[in-house]
Amino acid sequence: MLGTTIREVRKARGLTMVQLAEQAGVSQGLISQVENGRADPSLETLRRLAEALGVPLFDLFQDGAPSPVNVLRAGSRVSVTTPTGSLTYEKLSPPSATLEVLRGRLEPNDVSSAEPHAHPASECVVVESGAMVVEVAGERIELGAGDSAIYDSRLPHRYLNESGSVAVFLVFASPPSF
């Protein structure tokens, strides 16, 4: 389904595989393999493809037309995990929502991404359990269970778990971008 959705969005945008590959910074061969279901792209590759296509990342996993009332049943949630398994995001908000809600799980002594990244949105992060550092534009904000922070996600940011236990957190973003 992922490959089919990427192909449909690419074609709806009037992009060739070559153009999408150039915009996303990946090879045309990888685009072809993903669209034909022969490759599972990494989280970083999915982010690049979604950005190049101009859609939130999780929209690539959705099927069907939007409804005036959006519901996402617990058993239908989509999640993505980094190749190392150190970070998992589960989408809690329904498809086509204007506010994106994610539950994140970051393993001990790991980071959400090797380098901070930016995207056009405003984000609020709430730590449910454990502790983590929110790094925004080089500033480090330490958060513990129950703490929250809001920031302009157009600034380079990432999450760090420098503790010995798992950090579980919620991210609220508007507009959706993941």
Side-chain angles (χ1 to χ4, degrees), residues 64-124:
S67 167
V69 176
N70 294 311
V71 175
L72 178 64
R73 304 286 179 204
S76 299
R77 291 182 183 155
V78 176
S79 64
V80 293
T81 302
T82 58
T84 62
S86 61
L87 174 66
T88 299
Y89 280 115
E90 177 183 30
K91 186 165 183 176
L92 303 179
S93 51
S96 304
T98 58
L99 174 66
E100 183 171 59
V101 182
L102 306 170
R103 175 176 285 123
R105 178 184 168 90
L106 186 58
E107 295 298 319
N109 304 306
D110 219 324
V111 296
S112 60
S113 59
E115 296 296 324
H117 68 281
H119 53 93
S122 181
E123 287 187 19
C124 177

Side-chain angles (χ1 to χ4, degrees), residues 29-173:
L30 178 60
I31 301 290
S32 176
Q33 289 177 342
V34 169
E35 287 188 359
N36 291 306
R38 292 191 314 259
D40 291 322
S42 68
L43 179 57
E44 181 58 32
T45 298
L46 285 173
R47 280 183 183 160
R48 290 178 179 192
L49 290 172
E51 185 176 317
L53 292 167
V55 298
L57 185 144
F58 275 99
D59 280 8
L60 298 177
F61 294 94
Q62 302 304 322
D63 191 23
S67 167
V69 176
N70 294 311
V71 175
L72 178 64
R73 304 286 179 204
S76 299
R77 291 182 183 155
V78 176
S79 64
V80 293
T81 302
T82 58
T84 62
S86 61
L87 174 66
T88 299
Y89 280 115
E90 177 183 30
K91 186 165 183 176
L92 303 179
S93 51
S96 304
T98 58
L99 174 66
E100 183 171 59
V101 182
L102 306 170
R103 175 176 285 123
R105 178 184 168 90
L106 186 58
E107 295 298 319
N109 304 306
D110 219 324
V111 296
S112 60
S113 59
E115 296 296 324
H117 68 281
H119 53 93
S122 181
E123 287 187 19
C124 177
V125 60
V126 181
V127 177
E128 288 187 320
S129 62
M132 60 189 242
V133 173
V134 177
E135 184 180 275
V136 180
E139 181 180 351
R140 293 170 46 92
I141 301 98
E142 294 183 17
L143 300 176
D147 293 342
S148 62
I150 192 166
Y151 56 90
D152 182 342
S153 53
R154 291 176 296 183
L155 300 171
H157 60 281
R158 67 180 178 164
Y159 305 134
L160 301 91
N161 182 350
E162 298 174 340
S163 75
S165 58
V166 171
V168 177
F169 55 97
L170 296 173
V171 177
F172 302 85

Side-chain angles (χ1 to χ4, degrees), residues 10 15-32 48-49 51-53:
R10 175 180 60 77
L15 296 172
T16 65
M17 278 195 264
V18 171
Q19 291 169 320
L20 177 57
E22 287 174 1
Q23 290 179 19
V26 298
S27 71
Q28 177 186 352
L30 178 60
I31 301 290
S32 176
R48 290 178 179 192
L49 290 172
E51 185 176 317
L53 292 167

